[in-house]
Amino acid sequence: MSTAPFTVAIDGPAAAGKGTVSRALAQRFGLAHLDTGLLYRAVGAQTLDGADPIKAARALVPDALERDDLRTAQVAQAASKVAVMPEVRAALLDFQRAFARRAGGAVLDGRDICTVICPQAEAKLFVTASDTVRAARRHAELLARGDDTTLETVLRDVRARDARDAERAAAPMRPADDAHVLDTSDMSITDAVAAAIDIVAQARAARGLPVER
Ligand code: C5P
């Protein structure tokens, strides 16, 4: 394992395939992975329990990311509401930056990784897809998890979250100028992963880093 810092930063809207692509890249190149959405979800979940979001973000411990209700639609909305608060974002910044530059390299996925958390990342991707494709994917995921919801509800939630994430003043979701945009609307997950692997392999090769584990 190389000890040079090597960060893959991945942004994009909900259910675009970021998580799958990130996990595949981490596995392929032997990098640590942080799903930064979980930090906001953990704070959002505690807020639904009555906690103050800023205090919850400042006191967040790794165990809080292990709660088994963090993937629900209700927690997703709560996460995007606490994520508009600059104090919440500031409280989560150092942990993400340290993770990004850890020895051995890391993949982080979220909304502001390329633009705010790690603008110096060696590889940057913006993984996206149309809102209807993303809603259909998220709907299938929620049904598989036993969450009884309709496609219309999921589409409405995805659009509400997109608007909140893209229009907020603090670290809005947007593709970094130098990010590779990967639109997965008409791509299989295998093709999306292969395209992402190519981009990262080129960034590693350009720095003389191994492209095989
Ligand atoms: O990625 P995920 O859907 O789990 O993220 C939940 C919410 O957390 C997003 O809708 C967004 O509001 C917020 N988030 C963020 N910045 C990140 C990651 C997530 O604002 N880096």
Side-chain angles (χ1 to χ4, degrees):
M1 184 171 83
S2 161
T3 53
F6 181 87
T7 311
V8 182
I10 306 189
D11 291 321
K18 292 190 308 289
T20 310
V21 165
S22 302
R23 283 189 297 275
L25 289 172
Q27 163 83 23
R28 171 70 173 69
F29 295 102
L31 307 168
H33 172 225
L34 179 65
D35 169 359
T36 65
L38 277 184
L39 305 174
Y40 294 90
R41 284 173 183 261
V43 174
Q46 291 182 34
T47 307
L48 292 175
D49 294 341
D52 173 79
I54 298 169
K55 285 188 187 147
R58 289 182 179 152
L60 200 68
V61 291
D63 269 1
L65 308 184
E66 306 296 329
R67 276 176 70 145
D68 57 9
D69 62 348
L70 297 185
R71 294 286 173 200
T72 64
Q74 203 195 8
V75 169
Q77 292 299 329
S80 78
K81 287 179 187 160
V82 301
V84 305
M85 300 176 189
E87 298 90 341
V88 166
R89 307 197 71 82
L92 303 176
L93 192 75
D94 287 350
F95 175 73
Q96 295 176 82
R97 286 206 173 137
F99 193 98
R101 298 320 266 171
R102 64 197 270 150
V107 182
L108 283 81
D109 70 284
R111 303 290 187 289
D112 63 341
I113 309 301
C114 303
T115 50
V116 173
I117 302 296
C118 201
Q120 78 276 36
E122 284 72 21
K124 297 184 188 175
L125 283 92
F126 190 83
V127 180
T128 189
S130 71
D131 54 5
T132 47
V133 165
R134 290 185 289 117
R137 288 179 189 159
R138 183 49 52 89
H139 183 230
E141 257 173 50
L142 290 170
L143 288 187
R145 208 171 292 135
D147 197 332
D148 181 21
T149 182
T150 65
L151 181 57
E152 278 146 30
T153 307
V154 178
L155 181 58
R156 201 189 52 223
D157 283 0
V158 159
R159 286 182 173 153
R161 208 137 67 89
D162 283 356
R164 218 179 283 127
D165 289 348
E167 288 162 18
R168 68 184 177 218
M173 171 178 70
R174 62 168 184 85
D177 293 339
D178 54 352
H180 297 266
V181 177
L182 199 59
D183 186 332
T184 68
S185 304
D186 300 316
M187 268 180 157
S188 69
I189 193 60
T190 315
D191 289 347
V193 165
I197 285 177
D198 270 358
I199 292 165
V200 174
Q202 280 179 32
R204 288 181 72 82
R207 287 165 183 81
L209 292 168
V211 293
E212 298 300 332
R213 292 195 67 158

